[in-house]
Amino acid sequence: RGTPRASCRALLRRPPPATPREAALAKLWRAAATDALRDAVEDTSQFRSYDALLAGYSWDVALTQRGLSCAFSGYDDRLDSFAVNGLEALIARRRRFSDALFARVKDSLERDLERELTATPPAARAAAALGRLLEPNKFDPADQLAALKTLSKRDVENYVVAPPSRVDVLVSGNLDARRATALADAVADVAQASPAADVYAPRLRLCPTAADADLLAPTVLSLRSPNADETNVASLVHFHAGAGRRARVAALALAAVVEPLFYESLRTQQQLGYLVQAAPRNKEGSAGLVFLVQSGTAPDARFLTERIEDFLRAPLRLDDFDSTKKGLLDNLLEKPTSLAALTSRFWDEIQATTFDYDRRQKDAAILSQLTRDDIAAFYDTYFRGPDRRPLVIEVDRLALDRADSDRRTVVTDVPAFAATLPLAPALLDLEDLDDDLSTSPSL
């Protein structure tokens, strides 16, 4: 308490990996580079990360859909050199690694991917499949693991962090404007952005509309748990719910209304499973809602899907909407309790290139105007109307033998199916959408 500290975050914008091999190589490079810089023997750069960690400084690097994200924090007196030297060391070309370090990090990454393949619970497996389907440049861990096994130390040592198309830097803490600006400029100089390159903008995929008279009439992604001892099954139902600020706020309000009702029906009354959730899924400007159930007592995942459909067919209860809306408003307007929390909000906007620093206040203003009739119209449009876009992901036990009815199109090849889906508009094209909730187009 009272210690003068500061932080520096930098995003080196570059496209995400385009193949499982590129994804595996990027992960292996990150693991090897970060381990080497944290090792007192391996680190021969000016960064001297091991000594810095002992002195109270910290750093981290992550691979995101938008590029390479780095964070440096510690005492303000030497943060400038710590961040600059750290970034220089991270993106150094043709870094050399010892055989022992490379073997260690590759084995660790292989084990992580193997655990993801075999030990992931059905509900988490369904959620991961949803991400791979709707978000381009996400790959199955099996494909990444197969690619990883072929990678050599030379592959990693020759890995080049390509010049970013743009560098965004956020400095916060006990630094005046002059020092903060100088630090941001120094970090940008190290990254050596290439302005000629296009800035990558992630875009979500959209599922087909359900023109069938049945409420879901879905295309079903049918998965099996690879673990023969797995006793649970899971069903995930996702609805696209429009795009833009008003759709996002309405989806947030609707999720808050239906979540306790969904839990009460499927968990408390029907006792289908210990994991019962209804939650918003708002990404890249597109709104969505997810219903998820995992059960050890259901005969199969199809049974859970049918129970979710029964819930959706029932009349929408909005008796508690006013109190629910008040709780959401209080949450949106709650001020951050720390500089770190405020900085995280700003950084989210910077990474998305939306720079909407008053987002929560604007969302609250829209939410305050929403009525029960608005939410009912929103629900009818995106969850019951002819333009609804439901997606069902079912994860069954390995040995289950099940026949599917004609009304379900079962897909087992996620990449092939995903390649047929259209892309939603980019986030920046959606930020100013303010359509009437009952007529907003199903983008």
Side-chain angles (χ1 to χ4, degrees), residues 60-320:
D60 190 29
V61 59
L63 298 167
T64 75
Q65 285 288 85
R66 287 181 164 83
L68 185 67
S69 180
C70 307
F72 305 91
S73 63
Y75 302 112
D76 64 337
D77 58 342
R78 297 184 61 186
L79 181 68
D80 316 60
S81 59
F82 178 64
V84 170
N85 291 336
L87 186 58
E88 285 180 337
L90 279 170
I91 64 177
R93 293 172 181 263
R94 301 187 66 84
R95 172 183 296 280
R96 295 291 181 256
F97 303 106
S98 69
D99 292 341
L101 182 141
F102 176 76
R104 183 176 71 245
V105 297
K106 185 177 181 181
D107 179 70
S108 176
L109 188 53
E110 286 182 357
R111 290 175 182 270
D112 288 344
L113 289 171
E114 287 169 352
R115 279 193 295 269
E116 188 175 349
L117 277 172
T118 60
T120 301
R125 192 176 300 276
L130 178 66
R132 291 195 299 273
L133 178 64
L134 298 185
E135 301 173 47
N137 304 105
K138 287 193 172 182
F139 305 101
D140 192 290
D143 296 331
Q144 293 186 64
L145 179 60
L148 176 64
K149 292 180 180 296
T150 69
L151 296 176
S152 67
K153 185 162 74 82
R154 176 171 293 183
D155 291 326
V156 180
E157 290 178 338
N158 290 336
Y159 181 84
V160 175
V161 179
S165 57
R166 189 170 110 184
V167 181
D168 292 313
V169 184
L170 176 61
V171 179
S172 63
N174 193 50
L175 295 176
D176 60 29
R178 181 190 60 79
R179 277 190 66 194
T181 302
L183 174 54
D185 290 343
V187 167
D189 288 343
V190 170
Q192 296 181 338
S194 175
D198 293 331
V199 174
Y200 174 77
R203 296 172 62 185
L204 298 186
R205 298 188 184 101
L206 295 177
C207 290
T209 55
D212 195 286
D214 287 314
L215 181 61
L216 294 184
T219 297
V220 178
L221 296 186
S222 180
L223 307 175
R224 297 296 177 95
S225 172
N227 185 353
D229 297 325
E230 179 61 69
T231 60
N232 292 293
V233 297
S235 174
L236 180 153
V237 178
H238 172 272
F239 283 90
H240 175 70
R245 187 187 302 277
R246 287 178 63 82
R248 188 180 69 246
V249 173
L252 179 68
L254 178 61
V257 168
V258 302
E259 197 281 330
L261 303 177
F262 187 63
Y263 186 90
E264 177 189 7
S265 175
L266 276 74
R267 174 69 178 92
T268 305
Q269 296 178 4
Q270 300 182 52
Q271 298 185 357
L272 290 180
Y274 56 88
L275 196 160
V276 177
Q277 297 177 349
R281 190 180 192 272
N282 298 330
K283 284 183 173 289
E284 304 302 333
S286 292
L289 200 64
V290 172
F291 298 88
L292 176 63
V293 182
Q294 177 174 296
S295 174
T297 59
D300 56 24
R302 173 76 176 275
F303 179 85
L304 297 179
T305 302
E306 291 170 346
R307 302 292 77 75
I308 295 174
E309 187 169 8
D310 290 343
F311 174 84
L312 294 170
R313 288 186 182 281
L316 178 63
R317 290 162 46 192
L318 292 167
D319 302 354
D320 297 327

Side-chain angles (χ1 to χ4, degrees), residues 133-134 205-208 218-221 390-392 409-422:
L133 178 64
L134 298 185
R205 298 188 184 101
L206 295 177
C207 290
T219 297
V220 178
L221 296 186
L391 167 68
V392 175
T409 303
V410 178
V411 173
T412 56
D413 189 336
V414 175
F417 177 61
T420 68
L421 300 179

